[in-house]
Amino acid sequence: MTVATTKGTLIVEGHELTITNPGKPLWPEMGITKADYITKLTELSPYLLRYCHNRHLTTIRFPNGYHQKSFYQKNAPNPVPAFVKLAPLDGIDYVNLDSLPTLLWLGNLASLEFHPSFHRIGETLPAEWLIDIDPTLEQEPRIMEAAHIIGEVLDSLRIQSIAKTSGATGVQIYIPIQMGYTFEQLRKIGFFIASYVVKRYPNLFTIERLKKNRGDKIYIDYLQHWYGKTLSAPYTPRARKDASVSTPLLWKEVEQRPDPRDFNLLNIVDRLSKVGDLIQTVPLQNLDAILTRLE
């Protein structure tokens, strides 16, 4: 990538991009400007694109920084550069985030969060399986304990998984799966696991949908993983004060109870250079055994 700073443009893979207001603070407390953000996205792109390409992408845009007004963007914003590929679905022209130029174009539009569909373009079956662990309290020191418990239950079922911070306050359990399972089947397993841990740890977990009825319990959201819904992509930044990034963790790290805010735009690249993409260390899981038991 070459930079022509005098014109505020980038030449990326042969495509010219105009960067507007490069000095605009996007995370003021962290000292991260739009120019800094574009640089970080470039460094994150080999990882982030892996989980966003060939998906229907929803972004959340914050034109004046994470602490100002925002809006969800499903339809591709006009004008659309020639290098941007679209992924129409149900009357919406989603962006297919499949290249660095497309990523930086979205970054220039202050897209601070990237939320891909659970299914690939042109398909209806899930590409992976996620269980969302969502704290009711804004500050929840038990969130890693909760993730570890879910991981142990999956392990007892001989299902390998990875915990990843949502980048906000929660944790998601990410399970790479063999193709062919339906959303209905994954929801059935999710309900089984959620019901089990709620019964075993009634003071910690709940499957109550209404937040006002949860008290201080941690919500196991096995329903979010569904056709047409989204969750934060692995390695997406989040619009939070600490510029946190959704980050996969080693299970031994989960045991040490880190704060999800520990993983952010200022340190994620160094981490990835050391541990790589942990999701890729988990083989695609066969869920036939547990489904046979449940069915």
Side-chain angles (χ1 to χ4, degrees):
M1 179 175 69
T2 59
V3 183
T5 55
T6 56
K7 293 186 179 180
T9 61
L10 300 177
I11 306 300
V12 185
E13 297 178 358
H15 303 288
E16 183 175 304
L17 294 171
T18 300
I19 304 301
T20 57
N21 303 312
K24 177 181 288 185
L26 295 182
W27 284 272
E29 293 90 343
M30 301 293 282
I32 298 175
T33 65
K34 185 188 284 188
D36 299 325
Y37 181 49
I38 293 295
T39 299
K40 292 299 182 182
L41 285 181
T42 302
E43 296 171 325
L44 277 174
S45 62
Y47 305 93
L48 182 57
L49 292 179
R50 179 178 287 157
Y51 299 99
C52 292
H53 86 281
N54 202 24
R55 307 291 182 108
H56 302 276
L57 181 73
T58 299
T59 63
I60 310 180
R61 291 174 57 185
F62 293 76
N64 295 302
Y66 87 90
H67 56 310
Q68 300 292 338
K69 291 182 178 180
S70 65
F71 60 95
Y72 282 79
Q73 181 111 52
K74 293 189 174 185
N75 266 304
N78 287 314
V80 178
F83 57 79
V84 174
K85 296 178 183 176
L86 299 182
L89 181 68
D90 298 333
I92 298 175
D93 283 330
Y94 292 93
V95 169
N96 176 7
L97 179 48
D98 67 343
S99 70
L100 178 57
T102 300
L103 176 60
L104 299 189
W105 171 66
L106 291 169
N108 180 62
L109 295 173
S111 300
L112 302 190
E113 300 192 9
F114 302 89
H115 298 250
S117 61
F118 289 123
H119 60 92
R120 296 184 176 93
I121 295 169
E123 299 179 0
T124 58
L125 295 178
E128 65 279 305
W129 175 31
L130 284 96
I131 301 173
D132 191 25
I133 306 173
D134 188 19
T136 303
L137 305 177
E138 183 66 23
Q139 299 293 329
E140 178 51 271
R142 303 172 298 171
I143 191 65
M144 290 296 168
E145 176 190 357
H148 192 261
I149 289 169
I150 300 293
E152 287 189 320
V153 172
L154 286 165
D155 192 54
S156 72
L157 298 172
R158 299 187 177 180
I159 299 172
Q160 295 182 53
S161 63
I162 283 284
K164 78 175 184 74
T165 66
S166 69
T169 57
V171 175
Q172 294 145 8
I173 309 299
Y174 191 109
I175 305 102
I177 57 171
Q178 296 178 2
M179 282 300 294
Y181 298 110
T182 66
F183 283 101
E184 290 85 355
Q185 288 175 316
L186 299 181
R187 181 171 283 188
K188 181 177 291 188
I189 307 173
F191 175 71
F192 169 76
I193 292 170
S195 299
Y196 171 77
V197 297
V198 166
K199 184 176 181 179
R200 186 170 180 184
Y201 304 93
N203 295 322
L204 181 61
F205 291 110
T206 183
I207 54 174
E208 169 60 54
R209 290 286 284 172
L210 294 178
K211 191 170 185 177
K212 64 182 180 67
N213 295 333
R214 294 181 201 160
D216 65 349
K217 297 178 183 178
I218 294 172
Y219 176 50
I220 306 175
D221 191 351
Y222 65 92
L223 297 172
Q224 181 65 21
H225 189 265
W226 197 251
Y227 185 87
K229 295 180 180 289
T230 66
L231 275 177
S232 55
Y235 309 110
T236 180
R238 298 301 300 270
R240 295 281 173 149
K241 177 182 177 181
D242 301 281
S244 48
V245 172
S246 179
T247 305
L249 305 175
L250 295 164
W251 282 111
K252 66 180 181 181
E253 291 179 309
V254 174
E255 292 175 5
Q256 295 167 0
R257 310 294 191 255
D259 188 320
R261 295 172 296 184
D262 293 342
F263 309 94
N264 57 61
L265 280 174
L266 298 184
N267 60 29
I268 185 64
V269 175
D270 286 342
R271 173 182 172 82
L272 289 171
S273 70
K274 296 173 183 175
V275 305
D277 182 1
L278 295 177
I279 293 174
Q280 296 299 303
T281 67
V282 181
L284 302 181
Q285 298 297 292
N286 185 308
L287 306 176
D288 291 352
I290 181 63
L291 283 170
T292 298
R293 289 169 57 185
L294 293 178
E295 293 173 353

